[in-house]
Amino acid sequence: MTDTIPQPRRLTSLDDGFLTLGPDTAVVAGDGTERTERWLRATLGAATGLPLPPGTGDHDVVRLSLDGALEAEEYRLVVAPAGVHLEGGGPAGLFWGAQTLRQLLGPDAFRRAPLPGRRWRLPLVRIEDAPRFRWRGLMLDVARHFMPKEGVLRYLDLMAAHKLNVLHLHLTDDQGWRVEIRRSPKLTGTGSWRSRTKYGHRASPLWEDRPHGGFYTQDDIREIVAYAAERHITVVPEIDVPGHSQAAIAAHPELGNTDVVDTASLTVWDTWGVCENVLAPTDTTLRFYEGVFEELLELFPSEFIHVGGDECPKDQWRRSATAQARIRELGLADEDELQSWFIRHFDTWLAARGRRLIGWDEILEGGLAEGAAVSSWRGYAGGVAAARAGHDVVMCPEQQVYLDHRQHPGEDEPVPIGFVRTLEDVYRFEPVPAELTPEESAHVLGTQANVWTEVMEDQARVDYQTFPRLAAFAEVAWSVLPAPADRDFPAFERRMAAHYRRLDALGVAYRPPGGPLPWQRRPGVPGRPIDGPPPNK
């Protein structure tokens, strides 16, 4: 019952006995503990059937309190014969401690209703714990395959259970626009639906010949953000510019390079890869996206706003008289500097409104404002360069923590993409590059696992690719672990035996250790496997 994931910093057994929770067990909630108190009654109360009423005294209670001597996300959990005392440095730390308390109760505490005959016992322990990183993220790509609101709320609960605290929502791409912008109803009216979808890798001959799409209303977004906040999770939105923008151009042709392509004939893209149709570097485009971001800032209170900035082909700009005129007007050297100008415009615009820009590591090319941050996806190099230049970094290298990459070399692995990244590979991922000095390492805000959904057509496929590897990633993001080669993976596997039962109770369609179940396979659907170990740079 102490097989907790992520592994806490210090866990001490106080005795061989147990504390049993029953119908008379009360919750004594101090000031500032309201969110965790609500969660305990709503979630643990539902799973156990215990009322957990408000109470007083020191016996048969779960006592919640804050201790200003602890860090904001730090907690202390003591289970003694008289009751439970859970202290957090702040409301977030208290909540993370409640996640550990739930794990100690056993896998059935992860169900939505009580099973008959269950006894709710806690081992007598003292746990002192705090996270290694402040940014422990999961990116969900809801643009390629739309995840309905209920699915996003479910993933917020799964994140909370693993002590992850940043949900990066990839809301726009060539294949769909997923957030309502009231001043531009065409973005969702036209841009949120495509007529068909490539099934498998982009080289696949297979198509799903039916429309696919959907979007979140602004009230949906407010609900998602509020639900996340109750769980101490920040939602960071991504609106991709200037590449990955065909869905926006299909809705508003004037945003594209109209002097080199018939943008009025473009539709929302139905295949995968890097699309050549990119935004035009015009004042019209800048003003349009400023309007988009104005509405976005009202919906998302996050410090960071993600602007993408990756994989922007320059061929249309090379052929566009309008783009070439802008290069001359600004005194730029080439199209790469034009992209940098585009990104820096929104860097400045967001900074003036008290927010910070974050983008994929291509945004480093050409220079950034002081407050901008970088998501390092093309390996470690972008993160190293950013940290050395004084920029904050979120480490999410494709070769290590892109969970769309295949989990096993077996032929029955569904739609195999990229390198083999096993559960052990993810567990041995190290977010802080060894070549950084301590001062430079301080710029590593944390780490993030990315789930790109080109070949994930529904929730079950997302679950399969994400779990159980997200559990290993969560331990990397939270726990202070030895160097990768020295990590005790067999011990982690033993703890995972209990964790699989938690995932079962939560209804997660994870990849079993022995390989995919028959209904998880996708025979005949081609992927793009890459052989050999991934480059570690």
Side-chain angles (χ1 to χ4, degrees), residues 188-225:
T188 48
T190 298
S192 70
W193 294 91
R194 57 180 182 263
S195 61
R196 64 176 187 168
T197 298
K198 177 68 72 172
Y199 195 34
H201 182 253
R202 61 180 176 270
S204 167
L206 305 176
W207 293 91
E208 183 182 37
D209 283 309
R210 65 173 179 172
H212 175 85
F215 67 92
Y216 310 110
T217 68
Q218 293 203 355
D219 282 345
D220 289 338
I221 293 293
R222 291 186 180 97
E223 180 183 357
I224 288 168
V225 169

Side-chain angles (χ1 to χ4, degrees), residues 155 400 402-426 451 456 460-472 489 496 500 503 508-517 520 529-530:
Y155 259 82
Q400 311 299 329
Y402 269 33
L403 300 185
D404 47 309
H405 283 218
R406 58 194 173 130
Q407 304 184 63
H408 192 272
E411 293 185 2
D412 59 356
E413 205 65 26
V415 200
I417 299 293
F419 297 102
V420 173
R421 292 286 83 192
T422 65
L423 182 69
E424 181 172 359
D425 290 329
V426 174
V451 180
M456 300 179 215
R461 282 286 292 125
V462 175
D463 279 5
Y464 179 92
Q465 291 298 135
T466 304
F467 288 97
R469 293 181 294 181
L470 193 68
F489 181 70
M496 277 300 298
Y500 284 121
L503 296 178
V508 177
Y510 59 85
R511 182 190 189 277
L517 299 169
Q520 293 175 321
I530 303 174

Side-chain angles (χ1 to χ4, degrees), residues 43-368:
T43 304
L44 281 189
T48 61
L50 301 177
L52 302 175
T56 57
D58 297 316
H59 186 74
D60 198 14
V61 298
V62 177
R63 181 178 299 278
L64 307 176
S65 62
L66 300 182
D67 182 349
L70 302 177
E71 295 294 327
E73 290 194 283
E74 188 177 359
Y75 69 89
R76 182 186 304 117
L77 172 62
V78 178
V79 182
V84 177
H85 190 188
L86 174 58
E87 299 172 279
L94 190 77
F95 183 73
W96 304 133
Q99 302 307 311
T100 300
L101 178 68
R102 185 190 196 185
Q103 291 196 14
L104 295 178
L105 280 169
D108 288 336
F110 289 78
R111 298 188 180 275
R112 295 190 181 186
L115 300 181
R118 293 297 188 269
R119 296 177 64 197
W120 301 105
R121 303 194 310 171
L122 291 166
L124 303 181
V125 295
R126 177 186 178 93
I127 296 176
E128 297 166 281
D129 200 10
R132 179 185 178 191
F133 293 111
R134 60 170 276 203
W135 186 303
R136 307 179 301 280
L138 173 69
M139 190 223 69
L140 279 178
D141 168 17
V142 297
R144 271 50 175 270
H145 277 101
F146 179 62
M147 179 179 285
K149 179 192 70 177
E150 288 302 317
V152 177
L153 299 179
R154 173 178 176 265
Y155 259 82
L156 286 167
D157 281 330
L158 292 173
M159 290 176 64
H162 292 82
K163 299 185 176 74
L164 300 174
N165 69 342
V166 177
L167 173 62
H168 170 177
L169 270 184
H170 183 78
L171 289 165
T172 71
D173 216 294
D174 301 301
Q175 297 86 1
W177 186 284
R178 306 293 179 216
V179 58
E180 177 189 20
I181 302 298
R182 289 179 174 166
R183 70 188 68 192
S184 179
K186 288 183 180 179
L187 284 172
T188 48
T190 298
S192 70
W193 294 91
R194 57 180 182 263
S195 61
R196 64 176 187 168
T197 298
K198 177 68 72 172
Y199 195 34
H201 182 253
R202 61 180 176 270
S204 167
L206 305 176
W207 293 91
E208 183 182 37
D209 283 309
R210 65 173 179 172
H212 175 85
F215 67 92
Y216 310 110
T217 68
Q218 293 203 355
D219 282 345
D220 289 338
I221 293 293
R222 291 186 180 97
E223 180 183 357
I224 288 168
V225 169
Y227 194 85
E230 278 288 303
R231 287 146 184 80
H232 300 278
I233 297 171
T234 299
V235 183
V236 173
E238 180 183 354
I239 301 293
D240 220 331
V241 295
H244 289 289
S245 297
Q246 183 161 320
I249 297 169
H252 287 274
E254 69 276 11
L255 298 176
N257 295 283
T258 56
D259 57 347
V260 296
V261 64
D262 179 13
T263 56
S265 68
L266 295 178
T267 59
V268 177
W269 215 28
D270 57 12
T271 189
W272 317 124
V274 178
C275 181
E276 65 178 4
N277 294 301
V278 302
L279 297 175
T282 63
D283 290 341
T284 296
T285 301
L286 297 180
R287 299 292 88 76
F288 181 90
Y289 274 87
E290 286 172 2
V292 168
F293 282 118
E294 281 176 1
E295 293 195 27
L296 212 69
L297 297 189
E298 294 176 0
L299 298 172
F300 295 93
S302 55
E303 175 185 3
F304 290 98
I305 302 294
H306 209 293
V307 301
D310 63 317
E311 296 181 328
C312 179
K314 310 296 193 304
D315 183 62
Q316 289 185 357
W317 287 354
R318 293 186 187 97
R319 294 186 288 123
S320 166
T322 300
Q324 293 303 312
R326 172 118 300 181
I327 288 173
R328 291 192 297 273
E329 171 197 340
L330 297 170
L332 304 176
D334 54 22
E335 292 77 18
D336 289 338
E337 287 196 6
L338 183 62
Q339 180 177 349
S340 176
W341 164 82
F342 198 106
I343 294 296
R344 283 187 285 111
H345 173 87
F346 288 103
D347 189 353
T348 303
W349 190 91
L350 288 167
R353 287 154 182 80
R355 305 297 185 96
R356 294 178 66 186
L357 179 145
I358 186 169
W360 304 111
D361 54 58
E362 286 95 327
I363 69 171
L364 280 168
E365 299 159 6
L368 286 174

